């Protein structure tokens, strides 16, 4: 291990500018990267933190630390690992208010959202610590006097690559399952929001999790690529864009390393004439505009049945116009900025082109007057276009911002066809009070995470993952734990006699 940054002691306050080192091998590490990376505050556009850029040497050192600690971590009894994970959950609970403020400052997401989300984070550690205890295999007597039984073993060092939209939630979903299963991890958080992942690594040390079990290297795509290629890494779990997913999948295939890929989406919200309309409008508003539309399952295509179409559009327009956009640190703020200037410009590009194409703008398009300290922030007005045809780019592309489209449909078949259009298969929600219709439609939807009469609900027990261009593998539930384990079999001879083949014995039957 080299260059520990002994003197670093972060302030648990997102206000002051702080320069974060890396965190691996159980301690802060100065890092060997040439120039630290500036991390901007999305609300103001000003530098909020600087973060050490991991060099290739740092990535190797972090992976070596993770590899060294695997044997000891795996050898611990599952219950002992669980106790340590529950300890970390306890620290998270204690520091929840400060963590929520940090996460809001780093992502630009309103503090109300981050308090709600952070409040649930410890549950992932507690859930996976619990179910790992209940991991059961099978056993069988098989022909010839043999007993065969199931064996699970961890992959070893797992690379966790995470995005910026829910830095802690997504990291903890992956990390809790990986660690409970007996793996160690090297985390590469998004370069746009890396600081809370570094704090979590330090809190894990305080919780008594052994050095080297959790390691964090910060940097951009090059750091991610170096991590994915590192020969210590035996499993890769990425949440990110589909383009990144394909690059990572190719690199993983090169070394025959399994991966879980949680990628992009273009989530449809299906509102039927039989929906409770005000509730569906409120649900669509939440689906599309929480996190400023920057979640992989953000409702971005609202498909509405003709009978309630115009009423839905008018009500939605009214609710969107009433959203309070502003400082994420204020409790009354409904919607903050998007993550970066590049994101803002991408969203505004969709907005401008939609307007030029004659799409019907029914809400948004103009920013509210923002206080002076926010004028440099990356704000996009929450916007709704109606009557958007299915061949329009707004209907097809993952915009990842608060710009949504509404499209009318007449029949159940047409709703399903529109919902299933496109290469993604991640989220969907169906709004109706007709229970028969709801289940019929859900059964035909190409989506891995579906809600009926709600949206965005996420729980450690509820499987999460897509197919097609939305990736493969699962977070949450037993599947996530088992994804972090290699399942094998052990066959035991229970008879006294050994069938010595080359001495004329039998190996069959
Ligand atoms: P991104 O793909 O730009 O980055 C994700 C992570 O991968 C970051 O840590 C990044 O530095 C790293 N990375 C980028 N290029 C890499 C490369 N060539 N090799 C290795 N690592 C590389 O994604 P983002 O902009 O941070 O996040 C937004 C995307 O994430 C959206 O497409 C969204 O839909 C998706 N997402 C999916 C889910 C899900 O559960 N399916 C959840 C949240 C976000």
């Amino acid at each position: 291990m080299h260059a520990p940054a002994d003197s670093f002691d972060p302030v648990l306050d997102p206000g002051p500018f702080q320069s974060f080192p890396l965190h691996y091998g159980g301690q802060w590490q100065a890092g060997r990267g040439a120039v630290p990376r500036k991390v901007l505050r999305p609300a103001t556009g000003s530098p909020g933190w600087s973060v050490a850029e991991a060099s290739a040497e740092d990535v190797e050192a972090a992976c070596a630390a993770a590899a060294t600690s695997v044997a000891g971590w795996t050898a611990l009894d599952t219950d002992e690992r669980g106790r340590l994970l529950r300890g970390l959950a306890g620290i998270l609970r204690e520091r929840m208010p400060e963590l929520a403020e940090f996460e809001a400052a780093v992502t630009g997401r309103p503090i109300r959202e981050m308090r709600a989300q952070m409040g649930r984070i410890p549950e992932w550690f507690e859930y996976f610590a619990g179910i790992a205890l209940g991991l059961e295999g099978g056993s069988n007597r098989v022909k010839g006097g043999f007993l065969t039984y199931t064996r699970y073993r961890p992959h070893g060092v797992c690379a966790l690559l995470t995005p910026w939209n829910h830095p802690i939630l997504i990291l903890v979903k992956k990390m809790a399952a990986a660690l409970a299963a007996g793996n160690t991890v090297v985390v590469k958080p998004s370069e746009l929001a890396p600081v809370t992942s570094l704090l979590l690594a330090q809190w894990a040390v305080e919780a008594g999790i052994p050095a080297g079990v959790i390691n964090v290297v910060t940097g951009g795509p090059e750091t991610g690529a170096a991590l994915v290629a590192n020969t210590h890494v035996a499993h890769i779990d990425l949440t990110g864009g589909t383009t990144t997913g394909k690059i990572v999948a190719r690199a993983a295939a090169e070394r025959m390393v399994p991966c879980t890929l949680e990628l992009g989406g273009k989530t449809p919200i299906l509102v039927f004439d039989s929906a409770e309309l005000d509730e569906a409008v409120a649900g669509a508003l939440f689906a599309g505009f929480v996190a400023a539309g920057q979640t992989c399952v953000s409702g971005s295509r609202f498909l509405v049945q003709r009978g309630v179409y115009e009423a839905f559009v008018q009500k939605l327009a009214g609710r969107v116009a009433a959203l309070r956009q502003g400082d994420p640190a204020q409790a009354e703020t409904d919607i903050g900025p998007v993550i970066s200037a590049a994101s803002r410009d991408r969203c505004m590009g969709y907005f401008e082109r939609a307007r030029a194409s004659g799409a019907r703008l029914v809400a948004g398009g103009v920013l509210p007057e923002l206080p002076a300290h926010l004028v440099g922030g990356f704000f996009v007005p929450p916007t709704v276009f109606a009557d958007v045809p299915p061949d329009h780019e707004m209907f097809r592309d993952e915009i990842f911002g608060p710009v949504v489209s509404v499209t009318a449909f007449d029949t159940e078949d047409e709703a399903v066809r529109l919902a299933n259009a496109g290469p993604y298969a991640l989220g969907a929600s169906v709004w109706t009070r007709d229970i028969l219709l709801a289940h019929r439609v859900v059964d035909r939807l190409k989506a891995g995470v579906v809600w009926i009469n709600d949206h965005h609900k996420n729980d450690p027990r509820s499987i999460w993952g897509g197919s097609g261009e939305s990736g493969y593998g699962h977070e949450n539930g037993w599947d996530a734990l088992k994804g972090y384990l290699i399942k094998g079999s052990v066959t035991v001879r229970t008879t006294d006699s050994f069938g010595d083949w080359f001495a004329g014995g039998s190996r069959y039957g």
Side-chain angles (χ1 to χ4, degrees), residues 397-424:
D397 297 357
E398 183 181 45
I399 299 176
F400 228 62
V403 182
V404 306
S405 65
V406 195
T407 304
F409 69 85
D410 289 298
T411 65
E412 195 176 316
D413 280 352
E414 191 186 1
V416 170
R417 188 168 47 71
L418 287 171
N420 286 345
Y424 299 111

Side-chain angles (χ1 to χ4, degrees), residues 269 279 283 286-287 428-431 450-457:
I269 310 294
E279 196 179 274
F286 178 65
S429 68
V430 175
W431 296 81
V450 179
W451 297 273
I452 296 175
N453 293 324
D454 219 315
H455 203 94
H456 281 308
K457 298 295 167 209

Side-chain angles (χ1 to χ4, degrees), residues 161-166 170 188-191 219-221 224-225 228 238-241 244 247-248 262-265 296 398 400 426 464 475:
L161 298 117
T162 56
W164 45 264
N165 58 343
H166 313 276
I170 290 176
K188 212 300 283 170
S190 166
E191 59 276 26
V228 164
L238 163 81
T239 295
T244 307
I247 295 171
V248 167
E262 300 283 353
L263 309 177
C296 51
E398 183 181 45
F400 228 62
L426 186 57
W464 190 278
E475 289 177 339

Side-chain angles (χ1 to χ4, degrees), residues 257-273:
V257 168
C259 49
T260 296
L261 301 171
E262 300 283 353
L263 309 177
K266 185 69 186 172
T267 294
I269 310 294
L270 293 84
V271 179
F272 287 88
D273 288 347

Side-chain angles (χ1 to χ4, degrees), residues 147-162:
L147 174 70
T148 175
Y149 66 87
T150 312
R151 173 185 175 223
Y152 289 102
R153 64 195 162 90
H155 292 277
V157 176
C158 298
L160 311 183
L161 298 117
T162 56

